[in-house]
Amino acid sequence: GRKDAISTTIINFNNEKMQITWAAREQFPSKNVSFSYTFAEGKNKVWKPCPTYLLDQDYNSGCLFKTEGPTLAISIRNSNGSEELFSKTLKSDFYIKPNRPENVTFFWKADTVTVSCNKPERGVKCLTLELQYKSKFDEDWQSRTSKCCSVGEQGFDPRKCYSFRVRLKRLVPYCNVVNYSSDWAAETFWMNGTLLDSCDDDIKSHSNTVTVLSCLLAVLLVMLILLILLCKWQRLQKSVMPAIPDPKYIFADLFNDHNGNFQEWIDETDHAMVQTKLEYEEPECIIEAESQQEDEKNCDKQEPQEKIFSFSRAAENNDPKAAEIACLMPTSNTIASFAGFQILMNDDMYVML
């Protein structure tokens, strides 16, 4: 019973090296032990001593040796080998732990990633390839497993940085009695098909982009404030100190046509004014005495529709405008002259001329 009660851990590293360990301090307190093994079958077994011991506080706690066949027999004895404390026979192929994947490649297409590695020389049918990944927003790893030696996954966001790691696993219970997996291959960092040193680079680039945009917005805001202040300053300056008009724009013909020669410009201006006065002629209005007398007679005979008052003051003043108005007024109107003013009376409306 004691020989079967000792707990051991058996690992066959890629069918190349065997490692047998036991809890020395708990199972063999204050006692050192020796280890021997054999891959031979039958009665003619040749036991080999452990070539390399693993120690736990100077006590033998394990042995490391080369894998030489599929069937393994082990024996743990006291320090001088006279007494056997534990023995066991097992199939070494059921304890294989594969090596980590070699030459791992990543292929990106849109949101799909395909990871592959080199096929091991032996036991490919007993292996699966496991892919784990997570983004900087994920707390736990996401896992995907496929047959050796390629695995693919969809749904990757090209704007996120992802961490990837892969390993090989032995199938249980068809190939292994223990669920052994290889060590993880080197962790890599990818973003939209681009290999990065770490996802911290993505965070730094994102922070740098935010910093640049913040600076640009700050500069634009300062420029806008300065523009508003400039406009208000110009308004204040115009209200406090009005701008002196430039005679260059008021007297454009003086500077453009006469190159600033004032005398030449004033002479031409006076000549134009004289010509304008000569061309203008006051319209004549001939007041005939006879016509006026005939109208007065007609007015005496008929019901008075029109009363014409004295224009003597206008005549004395030789006011041609008044005379012109008197000639042009219709007969239905009443015209009066008072104190040098002409008054046009038409029904209820009075107009002083």
Side-chain angles (χ1 to χ4, degrees):
R2 180 169 176 78
K3 293 182 180 179
D4 297 333
I6 296 175
S7 176
T8 58
T9 302
I10 305 168
I11 303 176
N12 183 0
F13 291 102
N14 199 39
N15 213 19
E16 296 172 357
K17 286 185 178 182
M18 296 291 301
Q19 177 180 291
I20 312 294
T21 59
W22 57 87
R25 297 178 62 188
E26 288 79 6
Q27 296 175 0
F28 307 106
S30 303
K31 184 187 297 185
N32 211 348
V33 296
S34 61
F35 179 86
S36 59
Y37 69 95
T38 181
F39 285 93
E41 300 180 16
K43 296 181 179 179
N44 299 324
K45 293 181 181 179
V46 179
W47 293 91
K48 297 181 180 179
C50 177
T52 305
Y53 278 104
L54 304 176
L55 301 179
D56 180 13
Q57 296 183 358
D58 296 332
Y59 287 95
N60 295 335
S61 61
C63 181
L64 187 64
F65 54 95
K66 184 179 179 181
T67 304
E68 298 175 0
T71 303
L72 173 66
I74 60 176
S75 176
I76 298 176
R77 296 174 177 268
N78 57 6
S79 57
N80 57 18
S82 60
E83 181 184 359
E84 187 176 63
L85 304 176
F86 175 76
S87 63
K88 186 175 184 179
T89 303
L90 53 96
K91 291 291 185 179
S92 61
D93 291 345
F94 287 168
Y95 295 88
I96 293 177
K97 179 178 180 179
N99 289 338
R100 66 179 61 188
E102 296 180 354
N103 193 23
V104 180
T105 58
F106 290 80
F107 177 73
W108 287 74
K109 185 177 181 181
D111 65 339
T112 303
V113 178
T114 303
V115 184
S116 59
C117 66
N118 289 348
K119 291 183 178 182
E121 295 179 359
R122 293 176 293 179
V124 176
K125 294 181 179 180
C126 290
L127 296 174
T128 59
L129 182 63
E130 181 183 9
L131 168 67
Q132 286 191 348
Y133 60 91
K134 68 176 181 177
S135 71
K136 57 186 178 181
F137 303 103
D138 299 327
E139 295 182 358
D140 299 325
W141 290 93
Q142 308 295 320
S143 184
R144 179 80 168 84
T145 304
S146 181
K147 292 182 179 181
C148 186
C149 292
S150 179
V151 58
E153 183 64 16
Q154 297 178 339
F156 291 96
D157 190 343
R159 297 169 296 180
K160 294 181 181 179
C161 177
Y162 292 90
S163 304
F164 291 93
R165 63 184 185 181
V166 292
R167 66 180 178 180
L168 292 172
K169 298 180 65 175
R170 289 276 294 185
L171 293 175
V172 177
Y174 305 103
C175 300
N176 263 33
V177 295
V178 182
N179 189 12
Y180 280 149
S181 301
S182 71
D183 295 333
W184 291 104
E187 185 175 348
T188 56
F189 307 92
W190 295 80
M191 180 177 179
N192 196 20
T194 302
L195 180 63
L196 304 176
D197 293 335
S198 69
C199 284
D200 294 336
D201 297 340
D202 176 50
I203 297 173
K204 289 179 181 178
S205 62
H206 180 70
S207 61
N208 291 336
T209 304
V210 172
T211 303
V212 171
L213 291 177
S214 300
C215 292
L216 289 176
L217 289 176
V219 170
L220 292 175
L221 182 60
V222 170
M223 292 178 64
L224 179 61
I225 293 174
L226 291 177
L227 184 61
I228 294 173
L229 292 176
L230 180 61
C231 294
K232 291 194 173 185
W233 168 251
Q234 289 179 350
R235 289 184 181 180
L236 180 62
Q237 190 177 20
K238 287 182 180 180
S239 61
V240 175
M241 296 179 294
I244 300 174
D246 191 348
K248 182 177 180 180
Y249 300 102
I250 299 176
F251 305 99
D253 53 347
L254 171 62
F255 293 94
N256 295 335
D257 300 339
H258 302 284
N259 295 325
N261 191 331
F262 180 78
Q263 188 62 42
E264 181 181 343
W265 174 73
I266 197 66
D267 291 343
E268 183 175 339
T269 304
D270 290 343
H271 179 69
M273 291 177 66
V274 171
Q275 288 292 111
T276 304
K277 289 181 180 180
L278 291 176
E279 291 176 0
Y280 174 76
E281 293 182 358
E282 187 74 24
E284 296 182 359
C285 180
I286 302 174
I287 303 174
E288 296 181 359
E290 294 179 359
S291 299
Q292 185 174 0
Q293 290 177 359
E294 291 178 358
D295 292 338
E296 289 178 358
K297 290 179 182 181
N298 293 331
C299 289
D300 293 338
K301 294 178 181 180
Q302 300 176 1
E303 185 178 352
Q305 296 178 353
E306 175 185 30
K307 294 180 182 180
I308 302 176
F309 295 91
S310 173
F311 289 90
S312 59
R313 187 65 177 270
E316 289 175 1
N317 294 336
N318 296 324
D319 192 342
K321 199 70 176 179
E324 180 183 354
I325 293 172
C327 291
L328 297 176
M329 289 298 104
T331 57
S332 62
N333 299 332
T334 302
I335 301 176
S337 175
F338 178 75
F341 296 94
Q342 288 76 40
I343 301 174
L344 174 62
M345 293 173 287
N346 185 2
D347 297 332
D348 297 330
M349 183 172 63
Y350 301 87
V351 180
M352 183 174 289
L353 306 173

